[in-house]
Amino acid sequence: MMAGRIIASLAAAGAAALCGTSALAAGSATATGVASATLVSPLRVIALSPMEFGEITHADGSSGTVTVSPGAAGAQFAGGASAACTGSACADAHAARFSVSGEPQRNYTIELPAAIVATGTTQSGAGVPALTVTGLTVRSASSATAPRLDAAGTDRFEVGGTITLPADLPPARYRASFTVIVSYV
């Protein structure tokens, strides 16, 4: 702000030297600035379905992992982990699903946590060791690398990850919540 005033004063002094002493007497100059703003529709994100690893079992004394991937049905098992059952008797494993809406034809980013900690309880209500979901990945319906809202201002995305099961984990039901942040680019 001060640099602009100094330059304006120097310009006025230079003009006064060329035009005579009457310009020096004025001692000030004015300019008109411009302020602008663009209002866009706010981004909204809605959780449609949870990240579901399904019903899992693992071999005694053995640890394992279960992975659900965006854009893929079912889960991948490693180590001593495996599906407890097959078909409609078990909940199908899948990535978490979200819808997003906002300003049509705008790109946006999706921010995920580094990890999710799931806490559990046994049928009797006893606590069990927490489990961690890591390796979170995201895939939007519009683009694998640059999510974009369509002409109607909507898109969908999925979030997957890998849950690690330590050896000798007792049967329990686990839950966790996690936050996704969507922002315009």
Side-chain angles (χ1 to χ4, degrees), residues 39-45 100-104 106 149 153 182-184:
L39 185 61
V40 298
S41 298
L43 277 168
R44 297 186 199 306
V45 62
V100 62
S101 62
E103 191 72 16
R106 289 285 303 261
L149 299 172
V182 295
S183 304
Y184 285 124

Side-chain angles (χ1 to χ4, degrees), residues 5 25 34 50 54 80 91 104 107 126 129 142 145 157 172 176 182 184:
R5 185 173 287 189
V34 177
N107 286 64
S142 61
T145 57
F157 64 90
V182 295
Y184 285 124

Side-chain angles (χ1 to χ4, degrees), residues 33-54:
V34 177
S36 66
T38 303
L39 185 61
V40 298
S41 298
L43 277 168
R44 297 186 199 306
V45 62
I46 298 170
L48 300 175
S49 61
M51 187 182 308
E52 179 62 63
F53 292 95

Side-chain angles (χ1 to χ4, degrees), residues 56-60 62-65 77-82 165:
I56 307 163
T57 188
H58 61 87
D60 288 338
S62 178
S63 62
T65 61
F77 300 91
S82 62
L165 309 171

